[in-house]
Amino acid sequence: MRLRNKPWAKDKIAAYPHYVIPDPEARRGRWRELFGNERPIHIEIGTGKGKFITEMAKLHPDLNFIGIELYPSVLVSALDKLIENELPNVRLLNANAKDLGTFFADGEVSRIYLNFSDPWPKKRHEKRRLTYRDFLALYERILTEDGDIHLKTDNQSFFEYSLVSLSQYGFVLAAVQLDLHRSDVEGNVMTEYEEKFSAKGNRIYRCEAVRPRRA
C-alpha cells in the first residue's frame, strides 16, 4: 500500500489526546477507567481509516473499542470520523502491534479484529505477519479466557497460512467462511478495503478463533 504523506497528521493527532491516547503504557490494566465503565474491550489491529471501528461502535454502544494504527497519515482519517461522530466508546492508538503487551494487561481484551492485514507474502517476512506465532503469543496473553480473534482478508494464501498458524498454536477455529458475502454471517461491517475488493469480485475469507485453553 502506497501511503500519501500528510506532514500535518502528527500535529492534528496530538491536538486530540482524548481520542488518540498519547500514553497507552500508562493505561495498561486501566482502560475501563478511561471509558468509565466495565464493558468488554474489543481492539482492531490495523484500523486504517476507521470505517470498521466507527461503524461497529455505533452498532454496539455496549462495547468499548480501541483502534491501533501504525501510520499517522492513515490514522488521522479515523480521527476525523471520531470527531464527526462523537463516539464515546472508541479510542485510537498510534502504535505498533508488537508493543501490545505494554499497552494491555493480561486478560484485559475480549476480542481482537484483524481486518485485511498486510499478508507479507515473502517467506523472509513471515515474522511480520499478524498471525505469526509470536503475535499469537501476545494475543493469548491479553485476551480474556474466552476471548477470540476475528480475521478477514481477501488473500487466500494469507488466510490458509493463518488457519494453520492459529490451529498449530492452539487457538480453536469456531467459524470459517470461504466466501463471506455468500455466507449466512449476519451483521458484517465492511472495511474500506473490503468494499474495494468485493466490488472487484474478490472473495472475502473470514474466521473466528477462540483463545487456547491451557491446563
Side-chain angles (χ1 to χ4, degrees), residues 34-110:
L34 180 67
F35 285 107
N37 59 62
E38 294 297 316
R39 297 167 185 163
I41 294 172
H42 291 192
I43 69 174
E44 182 187 18
I45 300 175
T47 206
K49 296 180 179 179
K51 180 181 185 297
F52 176 83
I53 204 166
T54 53
E55 292 302 316
M56 287 292 287
K58 291 177 187 177
L59 288 173
H60 303 283
D62 56 330
L63 299 172
N64 298 319
F65 293 90
I66 299 174
I68 301 166
E69 174 58 49
L70 178 61
Y71 302 105
S73 293
V74 178
L75 185 66
V76 74
S77 294
L79 172 59
D80 285 340
K81 289 181 176 65
L82 289 197
I83 295 170
E84 179 182 353
N85 290 280
E86 298 183 351
L87 296 167
N89 59 331
V90 184
R91 297 294 188 277
L92 301 172
L93 304 183
N94 183 198
N96 195 314
K98 67 181 179 62
D99 298 321
L100 282 175
T102 67
F103 305 147
F104 300 102
D106 294 359
E108 192 170 16
V109 175
S110 295

Side-chain angles (χ1 to χ4, degrees), residues 15-211:
Y16 289 89
H18 175 68
Y19 285 133
V20 186
I21 307 304
D23 55 347
E25 300 90 347
R27 303 292 178 176
R28 187 176 187 270
R30 300 172 49 235
W31 286 101
R32 287 181 176 83
E33 293 179 20
L34 180 67
F35 285 107
N37 59 62
E38 294 297 316
R39 297 167 185 163
I41 294 172
H42 291 192
I43 69 174
E44 182 187 18
I45 300 175
T47 206
K49 296 180 179 179
K51 180 181 185 297
F52 176 83
I53 204 166
T54 53
E55 292 302 316
M56 287 292 287
K58 291 177 187 177
L59 288 173
H60 303 283
D62 56 330
L63 299 172
N64 298 319
F65 293 90
I66 299 174
I68 301 166
E69 174 58 49
L70 178 61
Y71 302 105
S73 293
V74 178
L75 185 66
V76 74
S77 294
L79 172 59
D80 285 340
K81 289 181 176 65
L82 289 197
I83 295 170
E84 179 182 353
N85 290 280
E86 298 183 351
L87 296 167
N89 59 331
V90 184
R91 297 294 188 277
L92 301 172
L93 304 183
N94 183 198
N96 195 314
K98 67 181 179 62
D99 298 321
L100 282 175
T102 67
F103 305 147
F104 300 102
D106 294 359
E108 192 170 16
V109 175
S110 295
R111 178 167 295 165
I112 297 171
Y113 297 100
L114 301 177
N115 291 322
F116 298 87
S117 307
D118 192 327
W120 293 105
K122 295 180 180 178
K123 181 63 178 178
R124 68 175 184 269
H125 293 151
E126 180 184 8
K127 292 183 178 180
R128 299 184 184 183
R129 297 172 192 165
L130 289 181
T131 50
Y132 181 66
R133 62 177 179 267
D134 289 358
F135 281 107
L136 298 185
L138 275 176
Y139 305 156
E140 181 184 13
R141 280 178 50 198
I142 67 173
L143 281 171
T144 57
E145 286 190 6
D146 59 346
D148 60 7
I149 296 170
H150 286 199
L151 179 150
K152 289 195 289 187
T153 181
D154 72 316
N155 188 296
Q156 182 178 350
S157 295
F158 175 68
F159 188 66
E160 292 171 352
Y161 169 89
S162 298
L163 293 180
V164 172
S165 183
L166 287 160
S167 297
Q168 288 181 341
Y169 188 85
F171 278 83
V172 178
L173 295 173
V176 176
Q177 286 84 32
L178 301 180
D179 193 346
L180 172 59
H181 293 175
R182 294 189 178 185
S183 73
D184 59 358
V185 172
E186 298 180 356
N188 178 55
V189 172
M190 290 201 288
T191 73
E192 288 91 352
Y193 276 126
E194 187 172 353
E195 289 182 339
K196 176 182 177 182
F197 295 147
S198 60
K200 292 180 178 180
N202 293 20
R203 182 181 295 189
I204 305 301
Y205 303 90
R206 178 184 182 272
C207 74
E208 299 175 13
V210 181
R211 181 185 184 275

